[in-house]
Amino acid sequence: MTSVSDPDARVEAIGVLSRFRTEFFGCLDARADGLFEVVEAMLCLDGPVVSVPELSLASVHRRGHGGLYDALASGKLNVARFTAVLAGLELPRFGGRITLAVDVSPWLRPDAECCDERMFCHVHGRGRGNAQMVPGWPYSFVVALEPGASSFTALLDAVRIGPDDDGTEVTAAQIRAVVQRLRAAGQHTDADRPVLVVTDSGYDGTRLAFLLADLPVELLVRVRSDRVYCAPAGARKGERPGRQPRHGPRMKLNDCSTWPVPDASARIDTARYGAAQIDAFARRHQRLAGDGAWAGHVGEYPIIAGTVLRVQVDRLPGDRAPKPLWLWSSAADISGLSLAGLFFAFCRRFDIEHTFRMWKQTLGWTRPRIRTAAAADLWTFLVIAAYTQLRLARRLAADLRRGWERPVADPDRLTPTRIRRGFRRLRPILPHPARPPKANRPGPGRPKGSKNKNRAPRHDVGKRTKTSGETTAAAPPPP
């Protein structure tokens, strides 16, 4: 691995970061100078971002707080062009192929009655049984995972789920768009292995596999322990004529008496969980019904076969009793599957949680009290631009550690917060496409003593239509 002291590697890293900054500026269609300096202030502010007007106090922000608000209210970003730029960056490979993770993180706005497009977001509280539904904007993110334990992920796309959207269909369209951009950028070819997409148990893996059947994509979804999968149907018993069966014997994940003999097994040693036993059951599918996401399906329900994986580890962090982990892969044939690789890929899915924490606690993703959903989308992509610059500066920023922090010899092990701490020293050697502000005087504003007659409209919270079997929500469900 090249180090920071390597001159050739340093020049190449500076060129990649500089090119991204220039291309990002070219994606700003309106208020480009103001929006670019907002991102600069995110990266160079001393301490975490706690409020929007404090960004105007950063030395790199040459405009006042009025210009900052004007940029967020009237600025525009070409999302299609910017996501194409993200897809063209160098991406990490997990086991020789691109591994993506999909997850939803909410931007909570519980007391913002004037904000549109809000939905009830499921929020996990501290302790068992403390989950609740809070109004906000749910965003679906797609990131590329790194092979080892890391605090970084390569962000590729962000989509806000609206009241009229179906979550599964939005996720499928998002994955399709990301894969198409990766192929257009030359990141994936027909000769490469299928792109691995890892999700948690909140996603309908069978439905996603059906919607993405024409793409070179392999899904790896965590499933609940009360699911039931069917084996391939055998020949019809007896000589009497009739329809051939479509489903074989059922495999109940919470009933070990229904488990067949595994088609493949592997036992690996891990540093965190001890020994892990992985059993694979090939060609397993769910029996689909005419409700939920399949309510409007025309014709016979498809048979979407995959591989069920059962993972049993020796120990869990915190002396918790280990329980079996169930996964479902959309690859029905296990001959080319690496069971250990799938397990490690799912473990790396949790790296996206580090990204969410960095966004919310340091870059201030959910700090602005933005009124419109369109402005929230713009702010989200500005945070993506700032975070991507930190990822590209991993081998350039100096480790300005505190006295109580441990030194890091490998530059790839620096956390995003420590890289952001040294970004101000790196900024002078990077291009600054934003133009300086023009001298002007602030407007008079509303006359003193006059009342605001244009009251902001109030918006209801929740879904406006029923999609995929979900009920229309006008109020949070009872506890």
Side-chain angles (χ1 to χ4, degrees), residues 56-372:
S56 62
L57 302 180
S59 59
V60 297
H61 193 277
R62 297 172 291 181
R63 290 160 173 82
H65 65 278
L68 189 149
Y69 282 118
D70 178 67
L72 295 180
S74 304
K76 293 182 181 179
L77 173 70
N78 191 330
V79 177
R81 183 177 177 182
F82 180 62
T83 51
V85 172
L86 295 176
L89 298 175
E90 182 181 359
L91 298 180
R93 297 296 197 273
F94 195 104
R97 64 172 170 177
I98 298 176
T99 301
L100 306 179
V102 185
D103 204 352
V104 175
S105 184
W107 182 342
L108 301 180
R109 299 302 308 274
D111 54 351
E113 297 181 358
C114 298
C115 292
D116 58 338
E117 304 290 326
R118 288 187 304 161
M119 294 177 54
F120 288 107
C121 304
H122 187 267
V123 180
H124 293 278
R126 294 184 179 273
R128 184 181 298 273
N130 289 333
Q132 52 186 324
M133 305 296 287
V134 181
W137 291 311
Y139 279 85
S140 175
F141 296 93
V142 177
V143 303
L145 301 177
E146 299 195 357
S150 174
S151 300
F152 277 100
T153 57
L155 275 153
L156 296 175
D157 194 24
V159 173
R160 178 176 47 82
I161 303 176
D164 297 327
D165 297 333
D166 177 82
T168 303
E169 293 181 357
V170 169
T171 303
Q174 188 179 17
I175 295 175
R176 180 180 299 276
V178 169
V179 173
Q180 290 176 351
R181 287 194 293 265
L182 292 178
R183 294 179 66 87
Q187 302 275 15
H188 186 271
T189 61
D190 296 335
D192 297 334
R193 298 176 59 187
V195 177
L196 181 63
V197 181
V198 187
T199 69
D200 206 0
S201 58
Y203 291 86
D204 189 349
T206 303
R207 180 68 176 173
L208 282 177
F210 175 77
L211 296 175
L212 302 174
D214 58 329
L215 288 182
V217 168
E218 177 185 337
L219 296 175
L220 181 63
V221 186
R222 180 183 179 183
V223 296
R224 290 167 43 178
S225 59
D226 58 351
R227 299 299 185 188
V228 179
Y229 287 86
C230 298
R236 188 176 183 273
K237 298 181 180 180
E239 299 179 355
R240 299 180 59 183
R243 181 179 178 180
Q244 295 294 329
R246 302 186 72 235
H247 310 287
R250 298 198 304 170
M251 174 184 176
K252 300 180 180 179
L253 302 188
N254 55 3
D255 186 1
C256 60
S257 62
T258 62
W259 300 350
V261 178
D263 297 291
S265 298
R267 187 173 181 85
I268 57 176
D269 294 328
T270 64
R272 186 176 180 85
Y273 306 106
Q277 177 67 32
I278 307 174
D279 298 328
F281 306 90
R283 297 175 298 279
R284 302 286 160 173
H285 65 273
Q286 285 184 310
R287 188 169 184 173
L288 306 179
D291 56 356
W294 302 93
H297 184 77
V298 179
E300 194 173 41
Y301 296 110
I303 298 295
I304 304 175
T307 301
V308 176
L309 303 176
R310 180 181 180 271
V311 183
Q312 182 67 54
V313 297
D314 288 343
R315 62 177 184 271
L316 291 176
D319 297 332
R320 293 178 295 169
K323 296 181 180 180
L325 171 67
W326 293 96
L327 304 174
W328 183 82
S329 172
S330 61
D333 187 8
I334 64 174
S335 60
L337 288 181
S338 172
L339 302 184
L342 293 178
F343 171 64
F344 287 131
F346 180 78
C347 292
R348 295 275 61 81
R349 190 204 69 84
F350 294 94
D351 293 343
I352 194 175
E353 303 297 338
H354 300 295
T355 302
F356 292 154
R357 183 173 58 181
M358 170 68 184
W359 274 36
K360 296 182 178 181
Q361 296 183 0
T362 304
L363 296 181
W365 174 44
T366 58
R367 286 291 185 176
R369 298 296 180 255
I370 293 177
R371 176 179 296 178
T372 63

